[in-house]
Amino acid sequence: MRLHVIARGKIGRSPEAELVARYAKRIAWPLKLTELPETGGAVPPLMTPCRTVLLDERGKQLSSEDFAALLGRWRDEGVREARFVIGAHDGHGDAARAEADLLFAFGQATWPHLLARAMLMEQLFRATAILAGHPYHRAG
């Protein structure tokens, strides 16, 4: 299953970009990173079947183990792509929220978009490490 992170805004050259790149190199699953402008820009066509996860402070909070189990279940069900969408500064619209398979939150706080991107990449690496039986989760 491909993991596809779609984020509004450019990360540029920043400490957050270094974290994203570090975790991207460590994720063993197929991974695609797509940056879109703050407004407009076309979301790439879907691979089907696909699951869409919106990062949203009103979303469900999952432990790392539960997040890994969810990805593993989707993979085992034959989902070809799991999309993780980080919205613009004003978040996601009601229509996008209604269509998403999951609203996912890193707690109730609103996080800066660049930090949310780095946190998502770490959690994707952690989840794939858990599923592979890698000791990273227990050592971290």
Side-chain angles (χ1 to χ4, degrees), residues 2-122:
R2 177 168 77 176
L3 305 172
H4 188 174
V5 176
I6 302 169
R8 292 273 175 195
K10 303 291 183 187
I11 200 165
R13 298 180 71 193
S14 65
E16 297 87 359
E18 291 176 22
L19 283 172
V20 167
R22 180 183 307 164
Y23 288 114
K25 288 178 189 171
R26 296 176 77 181
I27 294 172
W29 292 20
L31 174 70
K32 182 174 182 176
L33 303 173
T34 300
E35 287 186 331
L36 297 173
E38 286 289 330
T39 58
V43 175
L46 290 171
M47 294 177 76
T48 55
C50 177
R51 298 292 180 269
T52 300
V53 178
L54 301 185
L55 272 67
D56 188 295
E57 72 273 6
R58 292 168 281 187
K60 186 174 185 176
Q61 297 177 46
L62 298 172
S63 70
S64 296
E65 291 89 354
D66 289 342
F67 184 58
L70 177 66
L71 291 182
R73 187 170 61 250
W74 287 347
R75 176 201 58 199
D76 295 346
E77 291 171 352
V79 172
R80 292 185 62 202
E81 180 175 281
R83 291 185 155 204
F84 299 87
V85 183
I86 301 171
H89 66 279
D90 56 351
H92 304 286
D94 292 336
R97 278 192 201 89
E99 292 175 6
D101 295 288
L102 174 66
L103 300 179
F104 181 46
F106 293 127
Q108 294 179 337
T110 301
W111 291 93
H113 289 76
L114 297 182
L115 283 178
R117 198 178 314 188
M119 291 165 57
L120 173 62
M121 292 297 293
E122 191 281 337

